[in-house]
């Protein structure tokens, strides 16, 4: 069975910055056809649960308290890429809006809830290395493309 890297929060793992998950029911359809490799780049990059929310501003990542956590995000992205390369994973389904995993949009860096078109740190690195990234909102599109 082919493997897909997937944001752990989309399966309900409580790894989100606020200690909650982002369960997406469409992952049940993925489970029928793929081995899902759960991953949270922020946790794997060394950030705790819960943690202050983070946003990208000028290509760096900051928590809402001003702490620069770019290094943590880059570390998590590199670990995601290593897993994909080791397991020959060519597709990732990641949580949109996240400073790590956003594939269509991210927050604007002002911590006011505004989103802008953009990509998270992990998505950028995976795509740069030939891995196709979909958001949770594109699961149906992905599954249709595989038929």
């Amino acid at each position: 069975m082919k493997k897909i890297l997937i944001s752990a929060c989309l399966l309900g793992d409580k790894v989100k910055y606020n200690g909650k998950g982002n369960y997406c029911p469409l992952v049940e359809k993925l489970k029928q056809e793929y081995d899902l490799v759960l991953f949270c780049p922020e946790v794997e990059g060394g950030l705790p649960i819960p943690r202050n929310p983070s946003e990208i501003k000028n290509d760096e990542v900051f928590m809402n308290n001003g702490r620069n956590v770019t290094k943590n995000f880059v570390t998590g992205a590199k670990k995601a890429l290593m897993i994909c390369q080791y397991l020959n994973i060519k597709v990732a389904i990641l949580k949109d809006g996240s400073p790590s995993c956003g594939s269509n949009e991210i927050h604007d860096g002002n911590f006011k809830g505004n989103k802008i078109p953009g990509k998270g740190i992990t998505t950028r690195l995976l795509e740069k290395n030939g891995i196709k990234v979909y958001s949770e909102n594109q699961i149906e599109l992905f599954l249709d493309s595989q038929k």
Side-chain angles (χ1 to χ4, degrees), residues 24-41:
C24 176
L26 288 174
V27 300
E28 300 306 324
K29 289 184 179 183
L30 291 170
K31 286 181 181 179
Q32 296 170 15
E33 300 180 43
Y34 298 92
D35 284 332
L36 303 181
V37 178
L38 282 64
F39 191 82
C40 177

Side-chain angles (χ1 to χ4, degrees), residues 56 98-106 118-125:
I56 298 173
S98 158
S100 288
C101 299
S103 57
N104 298 300
E105 61 183 12
I106 56 173
K119 297 180 185 290
I121 304 300
T122 298
T123 296
R124 293 177 194 178
L125 185 62

Side-chain angles (χ1 to χ4, degrees), residues 42-98:
E42 295 171 26
V43 172
E44 293 300 322
L47 295 174
I49 306 165
R51 58 190 168 275
N52 286 34
S54 300
E55 295 186 9
I56 298 173
K57 189 160 190 137
N58 300 324
D59 282 330
E60 290 190 288
V61 188
F62 295 92
M63 288 185 160
N64 64 350
N65 63 5
R67 179 179 166 207
N68 188 323
V69 289
T70 305
K71 184 177 178 181
N72 299 91
F73 278 73
V74 170
T75 297
K78 287 178 179 177
K79 287 182 179 182
L81 177 61
M82 286 180 3
I83 287 172
C84 288
Q85 291 172 333
Y86 181 75
L87 297 175
N88 197 30
I89 294 173
K90 302 296 182 194
V91 173
I93 297 180
L94 304 178
K95 177 68 181 120
D96 210 12
S98 158

Side-chain angles (χ1 to χ4, degrees), residues 6-26:
I6 189 165
S7 292
C9 65
L10 295 177
L11 279 95
D13 283 11
K14 295 176 179 2
V15 293
K16 191 174 166 180
Y17 75 92
N18 59 8
K20 297 181 179 178
N22 286 312
Y23 177 73
C24 176
L26 288 174

